[in-house]
Amino acid sequence: MSFHSAAHVPLIQNVTLRPAIAADVDWAVPLLLATGPALFSYVFASAPDQTALILQQAFIRPQHAFSYEHTQVVEVQEQPAGLMVSYPGFIKRQADEKVQQVMAGILPLRKLPRILVNLADLTRIKQDVAPQEYYILGLSISPEFRNQGLGRCLLNQAENQSRTYDCSGLCLDVTYTNTLAKALFERVGYRVTCSKTTPRFEQITRAGGIHRMTKNLA
């Protein structure tokens, strides 16, 4: 997914991190959707407003790739200010499989043919995540809290978690059009290792394509 602001110098105090809970859904889903609105709409074959409703139903369910269970929240003076969805590769595979079961209970059957076509197209673009890589699905900071170091706080948390799982490095996906996010991740040590697109993806999403960016851990 694409990513939103993460400054590299902390400017505020009273910052805390916590795991998300299902009750965070109302404020968390808009931020989650903001990490990649075109990608989520493509995956769910739905308009943005419908996509938001789908994510609301999905977020509160456990274990799958878009669940609150895989979400970290950054707070300022106990006020939610941003989030990050992330997991090691071996958990991502399980979470991705669980998504199919969750979505079967949410999405209408009439959307299934288009969803399958879009997912097949997406598999031509996105790179696999190795079991010992730590994957960041999405990171987003609320507009009023951007450029204050909170994104970097979440990225540091991702690195801490990756070491807990003995991961060899981290990876994420950024769309071609999200040039600011790409530049940010390059500044903190991520490098583009693969860039892919398809005509269908470009036409429908207007996002260009997807860069896979990685960062090795020393």
Side-chain angles (χ1 to χ4, degrees), residues 137-162:
L137 172 75
L139 183 155
S140 186
I141 303 298
S142 297
E144 65 270 29
F145 289 107
R146 291 177 186 167
N147 302 315
Q148 299 183 70
L150 300 181
R152 181 59 181 268
C153 182
L154 287 169
L155 290 175
N156 288 342
Q157 175 71 354
E159 292 194 24
N160 291 337
Q161 290 178 326
S162 67

PDB file of all heavy atoms in Angstrom, residues 137-162:
ATOM      1  N   LEU A 137       2.125  -3.238   5.844  1.00  0.00           N
ATOM      2  CA  LEU A 137       1.009  -3.104   4.901  1.00  0.00           C
ATOM      3  C   LEU A 137       0.644  -1.643   4.700  1.00  0.00           C
ATOM      4  O   LEU A 137       0.360  -1.198   3.586  1.00  0.00           O
ATOM      5  CB  LEU A 137      -0.207  -3.872   5.410  1.00  0.00           C
ATOM      6  CG  LEU A 137      -1.496  -3.660   4.610  1.00  0.00           C
ATOM      7  CD1 LEU A 137      -1.432  -4.424   3.299  1.00  0.00           C
ATOM      8  CD2 LEU A 137      -2.724  -4.075   5.402  1.00  0.00           C
ATOM      9  N   GLY A 138       0.610  -0.869   5.779  1.00  0.00           N
ATOM     10  CA  GLY A 138       0.222   0.524   5.655  1.00  0.00           C
ATOM     11  C   GLY A 138       0.567   1.313   6.903  1.00  0.00           C
ATOM     12  O   GLY A 138       0.569   0.783   8.013  1.00  0.00           O
ATOM     13  N   LEU A 139       0.887   2.583   6.689  1.00  0.00           N
ATOM     14  CA  LEU A 139       1.186   3.484   7.797  1.00  0.00           C
ATOM     15  C   LEU A 139       0.567   4.836   7.461  1.00  0.00           C
ATOM     16  O   LEU A 139       0.749   5.350   6.358  1.00  0.00           O
ATOM     17  CB  LEU A 139       2.697   3.616   7.970  1.00  0.00           C
ATOM     18  CG  LEU A 139       3.228   4.459   9.128  1.00  0.00           C
ATOM     19  CD1 LEU A 139       4.642   3.994   9.501  1.00  0.00           C
ATOM     20  CD2 LEU A 139       3.248   5.937   8.806  1.00  0.00           C
ATOM     21  N   SER A 140      -0.166   5.404   8.404  1.00  0.00           N
ATOM     22  CA  SER A 140      -0.827   6.684   8.148  1.00  0.00           C
ATOM     23  C   SER A 140      -0.918   7.490   9.436  1.00  0.00           C
ATOM     24  O   SER A 140      -1.195   6.949  10.503  1.00  0.00           O
ATOM     25  CB  SER A 140      -2.235   6.448   7.573  1.00  0.00           C
ATOM     26  OG  SER A 140      -2.840   7.662   7.198  1.00  0.00           O
ATOM     27  N   ILE A 141      -0.689   8.801   9.287  1.00  0.00           N
ATOM     28  CA  ILE A 141      -0.777   9.733  10.407  1.00  0.00           C
ATOM     29  C   ILE A 141      -1.904  10.722  10.120  1.00  0.00           C
ATOM     30  O   ILE A 141      -2.037  11.208   8.993  1.00  0.00           O
ATOM     31  CB  ILE A 141       0.544  10.504  10.598  1.00  0.00           C
ATOM     32  CG1 ILE A 141       1.719   9.528  10.805  1.00  0.00           C
ATOM     33  CG2 ILE A 141       0.440  11.471  11.778  1.00  0.00           C
ATOM     34  CD1 ILE A 141       1.605   8.653  12.030  1.00  0.00           C
ATOM     35  N   SER A 142      -2.707  11.038  11.130  1.00  0.00           N
ATOM     36  CA  SER A 142      -3.771  12.019  10.963  1.00  0.00           C
ATOM     37  C   SER A 142      -3.178  13.357  10.524  1.00  0.00           C
ATOM     38  O   SER A 142      -2.090  13.735  10.990  1.00  0.00           O
ATOM     39  CB  SER A 142      -4.542  12.211  12.277  1.00  0.00           C
ATOM     40  OG  SER A 142      -5.182  11.014  12.656  1.00  0.00           O
ATOM     41  N   PRO A 143      -3.862  14.081   9.646  1.00  0.00           N
ATOM     42  CA  PRO A 143      -3.294  15.330   9.104  1.00  0.00           C
ATOM     43  C   PRO A 143      -2.797  16.307  10.153  1.00  0.00           C
ATOM     44  O   PRO A 143      -1.738  16.929   9.987  1.00  0.00           O
ATOM     45  CB  PRO A 143      -4.473  15.912   8.309  1.00  0.00           C
ATOM     46  CG  PRO A 143      -5.272  14.725   7.892  1.00  0.00           C
ATOM     47  CD  PRO A 143      -5.162  13.754   9.042  1.00  0.00           C
ATOM     48  N   GLU A 144      -3.538  16.453  11.249  1.00  0.00           N
ATOM     49  CA  GLU A 144      -3.146  17.442  12.249  1.00  0.00           C
ATOM     50  C   GLU A 144      -1.894  17.045  13.028  1.00  0.00           C
ATOM     51  O   GLU A 144      -1.319  17.872  13.750  1.00  0.00           O
ATOM     52  CB  GLU A 144      -4.300  17.694  13.227  1.00  0.00           C
ATOM     53  CG  GLU A 144      -4.691  16.508  14.078  1.00  0.00           C
ATOM     54  CD  GLU A 144      -5.769  15.631  13.455  1.00  0.00           C
ATOM     55  OE1 GLU A 144      -5.834  15.579  12.205  1.00  0.00           O
ATOM     56  OE2 GLU A 144      -6.534  15.026  14.224  1.00  0.00           O
ATOM     57  N   PHE A 145      -1.450  15.787  12.879  1.00  0.00           N
ATOM     58  CA  PHE A 145      -0.272  15.317  13.615  1.00  0.00           C
ATOM     59  C   PHE A 145       0.912  15.017  12.707  1.00  0.00           C
ATOM     60  O   PHE A 145       1.926  14.489  13.175  1.00  0.00           O
ATOM     61  CB  PHE A 145      -0.621  14.061  14.413  1.00  0.00           C
ATOM     62  CG  PHE A 145      -1.527  14.316  15.589  1.00  0.00           C
ATOM     63  CD1 PHE A 145      -2.853  13.917  15.547  1.00  0.00           C
ATOM     64  CD2 PHE A 145      -1.059  14.952  16.720  1.00  0.00           C
ATOM     65  CE1 PHE A 145      -3.695  14.142  16.630  1.00  0.00           C
ATOM     66  CE2 PHE A 145      -1.883  15.186  17.804  1.00  0.00           C
ATOM     67  CZ  PHE A 145      -3.208  14.785  17.760  1.00  0.00           C
ATOM     68  N   ARG A 146       0.807  15.337  11.428  1.00  0.00           N
ATOM     69  CA  ARG A 146       1.901  15.019  10.516  1.00  0.00           C
ATOM     70  C   ARG A 146       3.096  15.939  10.719  1.00  0.00           C
ATOM     71  O   ARG A 146       2.994  17.021  11.276  1.00  0.00           O
ATOM     72  CB  ARG A 146       1.406  15.085   9.066  1.00  0.00           C
ATOM     73  CG  ARG A 146       0.423  13.960   8.743  1.00  0.00           C
ATOM     74  CD  ARG A 146      -0.130  14.050   7.350  1.00  0.00           C
ATOM     75  NE  ARG A 146      -1.173  13.032   7.177  1.00  0.00           N
ATOM     76  CZ  ARG A 146      -2.015  12.999   6.162  1.00  0.00           C
ATOM     77  NH1 ARG A 146      -1.945  13.919   5.222  1.00  0.00           N
ATOM     78  NH2 ARG A 146      -2.929  12.053   6.082  1.00  0.00           N
ATOM     79  N   ASN A 147       4.256  15.464  10.242  1.00  0.00           N
ATOM     80  CA  ASN A 147       5.506  16.223  10.328  1.00  0.00           C
ATOM     81  C   ASN A 147       5.933  16.507  11.760  1.00  0.00           C
ATOM     82  O   ASN A 147       6.541  17.543  12.042  1.00  0.00           O
ATOM     83  CB  ASN A 147       5.383  17.538   9.540  1.00  0.00           C
ATOM     84  CG  ASN A 147       5.052  17.313   8.089  1.00  0.00           C
ATOM     85  OD1 ASN A 147       5.649  16.455   7.442  1.00  0.00           O
ATOM     86  ND2 ASN A 147       4.082  18.050   7.570  1.00  0.00           N
ATOM     87  N   GLN A 148       5.629  15.577  12.649  1.00  0.00           N
ATOM     88  CA  GLN A 148       6.020  15.726  14.055  1.00  0.00           C
ATOM     89  C   GLN A 148       6.727  14.483  14.594  1.00  0.00           C
ATOM     90  O   GLN A 148       6.836  14.302  15.798  1.00  0.00           O
ATOM     91  CB  GLN A 148       4.787  16.056  14.900  1.00  0.00           C
ATOM     92  CG  GLN A 148       4.109  17.353  14.505  1.00  0.00           C
ATOM     93  CD  GLN A 148       2.937  17.693  15.398  1.00  0.00           C
ATOM     94  OE1 GLN A 148       3.118  18.029  16.579  1.00  0.00           O
ATOM     95  NE2 GLN A 148       1.736  17.610  14.864  1.00  0.00           N
ATOM     96  N   GLY A 149       7.171  13.607  13.712  1.00  0.00           N
ATOM     97  CA  GLY A 149       7.956  12.463  14.131  1.00  0.00           C
ATOM     98  C   GLY A 149       7.175  11.210  14.457  1.00  0.00           C
ATOM     99  O   GLY A 149       7.758  10.201  14.855  1.00  0.00           O
ATOM    100  N   LEU A 150       5.861  11.237  14.294  1.00  0.00           N
ATOM    101  CA  LEU A 150       5.058  10.082  14.700  1.00  0.00           C
ATOM    102  C   LEU A 150       5.209   8.911  13.731  1.00  0.00           C
ATOM    103  O   LEU A 150       5.196   7.747  14.148  1.00  0.00           O
ATOM    104  CB  LEU A 150       3.583  10.486  14.821  1.00  0.00           C
ATOM    105  CG  LEU A 150       3.289  11.582  15.848  1.00  0.00           C
ATOM    106  CD1 LEU A 150       1.796  11.877  15.895  1.00  0.00           C
ATOM    107  CD2 LEU A 150       3.808  11.190  17.221  1.00  0.00           C
ATOM    108  N   GLY A 151       5.339   9.206  12.465  1.00  0.00           N
ATOM    109  CA  GLY A 151       5.560   8.133  11.501  1.00  0.00           C
ATOM    110  C   GLY A 151       6.857   7.400  11.785  1.00  0.00           C
ATOM    111  O   GLY A 151       6.921   6.174  11.728  1.00  0.00           O
ATOM    112  N   ARG A 152       7.886   8.164  12.100  1.00  0.00           N
ATOM    113  CA  ARG A 152       9.176   7.542  12.435  1.00  0.00           C
ATOM    114  C   ARG A 152       9.046   6.688  13.692  1.00  0.00           C
ATOM    115  O   ARG A 152       9.687   5.636  13.813  1.00  0.00           O
ATOM    116  CB  ARG A 152      10.234   8.626  12.631  1.00  0.00           C
ATOM    117  CG  ARG A 152      11.621   8.082  12.952  1.00  0.00           C
ATOM    118  CD  ARG A 152      12.130   7.166  11.850  1.00  0.00           C
ATOM    119  NE  ARG A 152      13.433   6.621  12.146  1.00  0.00           N
ATOM    120  CZ  ARG A 152      14.585   7.177  11.762  1.00  0.00           C
ATOM    121  NH1 ARG A 152      14.566   8.309  11.083  1.00  0.00           N
ATOM    122  NH2 ARG A 152      15.725   6.615  12.043  1.00  0.00           N
ATOM    123  N   CYS A 153       8.234   7.132  14.626  1.00  0.00           N
ATOM    124  CA  CYS A 153       7.992   6.354  15.844  1.00  0.00           C
ATOM    125  C   CYS A 153       7.409   4.986  15.492  1.00  0.00           C
ATOM    126  O   CYS A 153       7.827   3.956  16.027  1.00  0.00           O
ATOM    127  CB  CYS A 153       7.052   7.135  16.750  1.00  0.00           C
ATOM    128  SG  CYS A 153       6.711   6.335  18.329  1.00  0.00           S
ATOM    129  N   LEU A 154       6.454   4.970  14.567  1.00  0.00           N
ATOM    130  CA  LEU A 154       5.863   3.696  14.147  1.00  0.00           C
ATOM    131  C   LEU A 154       6.867   2.849  13.373  1.00  0.00           C
ATOM    132  O   LEU A 154       6.908   1.621  13.530  1.00  0.00           O
ATOM    133  CB  LEU A 154       4.619   3.958  13.299  1.00  0.00           C
ATOM    134  CG  LEU A 154       3.387   4.451  14.066  1.00  0.00           C
ATOM    135  CD1 LEU A 154       2.307   4.924  13.101  1.00  0.00           C
ATOM    136  CD2 LEU A 154       2.832   3.346  14.971  1.00  0.00           C
ATOM    137  N   LEU A 155       7.680   3.478  12.552  1.00  0.00           N
ATOM    138  CA  LEU A 155       8.691   2.728  11.812  1.00  0.00           C
ATOM    139  C   LEU A 155       9.717   2.106  12.746  1.00  0.00           C
ATOM    140  O   LEU A 155      10.180   0.978  12.528  1.00  0.00           O
ATOM    141  CB  LEU A 155       9.386   3.645  10.803  1.00  0.00           C
ATOM    142  CG  LEU A 155       8.537   4.101   9.615  1.00  0.00           C
ATOM    143  CD1 LEU A 155       9.298   5.102   8.769  1.00  0.00           C
ATOM    144  CD2 LEU A 155       8.106   2.909   8.777  1.00  0.00           C
ATOM    145  N   ASN A 156      10.079   2.829  13.782  1.00  0.00           N
ATOM    146  CA  ASN A 156      10.984   2.258  14.781  1.00  0.00           C
ATOM    147  C   ASN A 156      10.345   1.053  15.461  1.00  0.00           C
ATOM    148  O   ASN A 156      11.012   0.057  15.755  1.00  0.00           O
ATOM    149  CB  ASN A 156      11.348   3.316  15.822  1.00  0.00           C
ATOM    150  CG  ASN A 156      12.286   4.372  15.281  1.00  0.00           C
ATOM    151  OD1 ASN A 156      12.946   4.167  14.253  1.00  0.00           O
ATOM    152  ND2 ASN A 156      12.354   5.508  15.954  1.00  0.00           N
ATOM    153  N   GLN A 157       9.038   1.167  15.716  1.00  0.00           N
ATOM    154  CA  GLN A 157       8.312   0.039  16.310  1.00  0.00           C
ATOM    155  C   GLN A 157       8.340  -1.168  15.384  1.00  0.00           C
ATOM    156  O   GLN A 157       8.494  -2.308  15.833  1.00  0.00           O
ATOM    157  CB  GLN A 157       6.873   0.449  16.624  1.00  0.00           C
ATOM    158  CG  GLN A 157       5.982  -0.666  17.134  1.00  0.00           C
ATOM    159  CD  GLN A 157       6.324  -1.113  18.545  1.00  0.00           C
ATOM    160  OE1 GLN A 157       7.318  -0.664  19.126  1.00  0.00           O
ATOM    161  NE2 GLN A 157       5.508  -1.977  19.115  1.00  0.00           N
ATOM    162  N   ALA A 158       8.192  -0.927  14.094  1.00  0.00           N
ATOM    163  CA  ALA A 158       8.249  -2.028  13.123  1.00  0.00           C
ATOM    164  C   ALA A 158       9.610  -2.713  13.167  1.00  0.00           C
ATOM    165  O   ALA A 158       9.703  -3.948  13.120  1.00  0.00           O
ATOM    166  CB  ALA A 158       7.958  -1.506  11.720  1.00  0.00           C
ATOM    167  N   GLU A 159      10.668  -1.926  13.274  1.00  0.00           N
ATOM    168  CA  GLU A 159      12.003  -2.520  13.348  1.00  0.00           C
ATOM    169  C   GLU A 159      12.175  -3.308  14.645  1.00  0.00           C
ATOM    170  O   GLU A 159      12.780  -4.391  14.648  1.00  0.00           O
ATOM    171  CB  GLU A 159      13.070  -1.435  13.228  1.00  0.00           C
ATOM    172  CG  GLU A 159      13.115  -0.810  11.849  1.00  0.00           C
ATOM    173  CD  GLU A 159      14.371   0.003  11.609  1.00  0.00           C
ATOM    174  OE1 GLU A 159      15.393  -0.248  12.278  1.00  0.00           O
ATOM    175  OE2 GLU A 159      14.335   0.894  10.736  1.00  0.00           O
ATOM    176  N   ASN A 160      11.657  -2.777  15.741  1.00  0.00           N
ATOM    177  CA  ASN A 160      11.729  -3.515  17.005  1.00  0.00           C
ATOM    178  C   ASN A 160      10.980  -4.842  16.915  1.00  0.00           C
ATOM    179  O   ASN A 160      11.469  -5.887  17.374  1.00  0.00           O
ATOM    180  CB  ASN A 160      11.142  -2.667  18.134  1.00  0.00           C
ATOM    181  CG  ASN A 160      11.999  -1.461  18.480  1.00  0.00           C
ATOM    182  OD1 ASN A 160      13.205  -1.446  18.212  1.00  0.00           O
ATOM    183  ND2 ASN A 160      11.385  -0.440  19.059  1.00  0.00           N
ATOM    184  N   GLN A 161       9.799  -4.798  16.325  1.00  0.00           N
ATOM    185  CA  GLN A 161       9.012  -6.025  16.189  1.00  0.00           C
ATOM    186  C   GLN A 161       9.703  -7.013  15.252  1.00  0.00           C
ATOM    187  O   GLN A 161       9.686  -8.225  15.498  1.00  0.00           O
ATOM    188  CB  GLN A 161       7.614  -5.685  15.677  1.00  0.00           C
ATOM    189  CG  GLN A 161       6.751  -4.956  16.695  1.00  0.00           C
ATOM    190  CD  GLN A 161       5.383  -4.593  16.135  1.00  0.00           C
ATOM    191  OE1 GLN A 161       5.221  -4.289  14.957  1.00  0.00           O
ATOM    192  NE2 GLN A 161       4.380  -4.630  16.991  1.00  0.00           N
ATOM    193  N   SER A 162      10.310  -6.497  14.182  1.00  0.00           N
ATOM    194  CA  SER A 162      10.984  -7.400  13.241  1.00  0.00           C
ATOM    195  C   SER A 162      12.126  -8.136  13.917  1.00  0.00           C
ATOM    196  O   SER A 162      12.368  -9.322  13.653  1.00  0.00           O
ATOM    197  CB  SER A 162      11.484  -6.613  12.028  1.00  0.00           C
ATOM    198  OG  SER A 162      12.523  -5.727  12.388  1.00  0.00           O
TER     199      SER A 162
END
